[in-house]
Amino acid sequence: MKNLYKLIVLSGMALFLGSCYYDTFPEDTGTVPDEVSYQQDVQPIWNAACTECHGNIPPTLENGVSYTNLINGGYVVAGDSQNSVLYQSLLGIEGVSLMPPSGKLPDSQINIVKKWIDDGAENN
Ligand code: HEC
């Protein structure tokens, strides 16, 4: 009897979790995709929150040149967000100025950048 009860609870949970699945990734649900794409997930953050200043201030974060600037400029240590100046700037830690200066990005966006770096900072 106990096992049957467990089974019912578990299938209920499975149904509930299944209903949280999205076909397309919505604007700001506070979640991080399982696989982060630089072009589709990271660059839009730069476009919305950074390029107004980082069009001429290094690192230039405009679409098309941002990836090369971040990697070659040493702002990103692939696989190691904690030691990446880029990630530190989003948190305003380790003596790096908080970016954007007006206030932290939403956690979900910071975590997208973190995951992109920790997954190897690919140009994908
Ligand atoms: C209002 C203008 C402004 C915005 C918006 C802005 N930045 Fe900056 N950023 C600056 C300035 C000015 C500097 C250089 C001086 C400094 O470190 O404060 C800088 C420096 C940086 C640095 C280098 C830090 C270092 O210590 O070398 C990084 C990385 C950076 N910004 C990333 C970003 C990112 C990512 C965003 C968007 C999420 C962003 N910035 C948004 C003005 C801005």
Side-chain angles (χ1 to χ4, degrees):
M1 208 50 200
K2 235 182 165 184
N3 279 338
L4 182 65
Y5 178 70
K6 268 190 201 156
L7 188 71
I8 291 169
V9 170
L10 280 177
S11 26
M13 278 170 67
L15 273 177
F16 173 74
L17 289 175
S19 66
C20 296
Y21 175 81
Y22 294 101
D23 277 334
T24 51
F25 184 62
E27 200 71 25
D28 197 16
T29 56
T31 51
V32 178
D34 287 340
E35 281 192 33
V36 173
S37 149
Y38 184 74
Q39 275 310 315
Q40 285 173 32
D41 303 308
V42 178
Q43 182 65 47
I45 298 174
W46 303 161
N47 296 344
C50 318
T51 50
E52 59 179 290
C53 297
H54 289 278
N56 38 33
I57 304 169
T60 304
L61 294 174
E62 304 279 6
N63 191 20
V65 297
S66 61
Y67 181 83
T68 310
N69 289 333
L70 286 172
I71 301 293
N72 294 356
Y75 295 99
V76 169
V77 180
D80 189 358
S81 56
Q82 304 296 329
N83 284 310
S84 297
V85 171
L86 174 65
Y87 181 65
Q88 293 167 354
S89 76
L90 298 180
L91 299 178
I93 56 167
E94 311 284 353
V96 178
S97 319
L98 175 67
M99 292 293 144
S102 57
K104 268 193 202 176
L105 294 173
D107 284 354
S108 56
Q109 295 184 5
I110 295 177
N111 286 330
I112 283 174
V113 176
K114 179 179 195 299
K115 184 162 167 45
W116 168 68
I117 297 175
D118 288 337
D119 285 353
E122 286 180 62
N123 193 2
N124 56 359

